[in-house]
Amino acid sequence: MLLLARALHRRIDSAWIVAVGLIVLGILVSLTKGFDFEEAIALSVLLAALLANRKHFFREWRLFPSPLNLSWMLAISMAIGLIIWVISLAYRHIEYQHELWWSFAWHHDAPRSMRSLIGASIVVAPPLDSGVLPRSQRPELGNAQEFAEVSRIVAQTASTSAQLALLGDRRFIFSHDRLAVVMFG
């Protein structure tokens, strides 16, 4: 859900579908692992909110359209760090042993939380790593010669929005015959 938060914020329809599926799965798992109805009720409220707002998730887009930016990577890393801190605080009275990893029981939450944390870290690590890859270089701002050519082209058009090219913060792509320009920035 940490990784889906960004796509849900952007109102992407596939993120809504995956989130609803994960919440339903969470409800089923919380009821089967010991009839934990408090978690099931909280997840049901979240599910009802998502189902009631289906019409707001209208954008058809890839689930993860671009690598995570630095703020999202920091937020996810901080959330995982806080989870590690809470787990270590909650189970500080239990001495660490290698056998904890392989201990499966109904009421042994420390081993379960350790395994869950490792699983979450494995799921979260690749998207966090994708944000570290180098990005393509942005073109340089227009120089004085290009700015003069843009001024000439802008003077010939009746569109007032073409004047935005003269702000000095745009980049330009010229046609082969240098009679047209596309600005971006």
Side-chain angles (χ1 to χ4, degrees):
M1 291 301 285
L2 283 172
L3 296 176
L4 283 178
R6 182 177 184 211
L8 287 172
H9 177 71
R10 292 181 173 189
R11 298 182 180 173
I12 296 173
D13 60 349
S14 57
W16 182 87
I17 293 168
V18 173
V20 167
L22 286 175
I23 292 171
V24 168
L25 181 67
I27 292 170
L28 294 174
V29 168
S30 68
L31 290 176
T32 57
K33 74 171 183 171
F35 199 66
D36 193 358
F37 63 91
E38 293 95 355
E39 281 181 20
I41 290 172
L43 288 172
S44 297
V45 169
L46 182 60
L47 179 63
L50 271 177
L51 292 174
N53 290 298
R54 171 64 175 123
K55 64 183 175 194
H56 297 290
F57 295 90
F58 54 87
R59 293 190 176 123
E60 295 180 9
W61 197 255
R62 293 186 335 220
L63 194 56
F64 300 110
S66 61
L68 298 172
N69 59 18
L70 183 62
S71 61
W72 278 98
M73 288 191 302
L74 285 174
I76 291 172
S77 300
M78 285 176 49
I80 290 178
L82 284 172
I83 291 170
I84 291 170
W85 178 71
V86 167
I87 287 173
S88 64
L89 187 66
Y91 301 113
R92 68 177 178 262
H93 61 282
I94 297 176
E95 185 178 333
Y96 176 79
Q97 301 169 0
H98 293 297
E99 290 78 26
L100 285 175
W101 291 101
W102 309 111
S103 173
F104 295 91
W106 284 106
H107 298 292
H108 291 153
D109 292 332
R112 184 181 306 129
S113 60
M114 288 169 46
R115 287 188 301 270
S116 298
L117 184 61
I118 292 298
S121 299
I122 289 170
V123 169
V124 170
L128 286 181
D129 186 43
S130 69
V132 178
L133 297 175
R135 298 189 183 205
S136 60
Q137 294 292 327
R138 295 177 68 180
E140 295 294 322
L141 290 174
N143 56 27
Q145 178 187 1
E146 287 181 346
F147 196 71
E149 288 184 66
V150 169
S151 298
R152 178 185 51 81
I153 294 170
V154 166
Q156 295 173 358
T157 184
S159 173
T160 57
S161 62
Q163 300 292 324
L164 292 172
L166 303 177
L167 289 175
D169 63 344
R170 306 285 194 246
R171 292 163 174 82
F172 307 111
I173 300 174
F174 289 92
S175 65
H176 291 293
D177 57 4
R178 308 292 274 193
L179 295 177
V181 65
V182 174
M183 66 175 167
F184 62 98

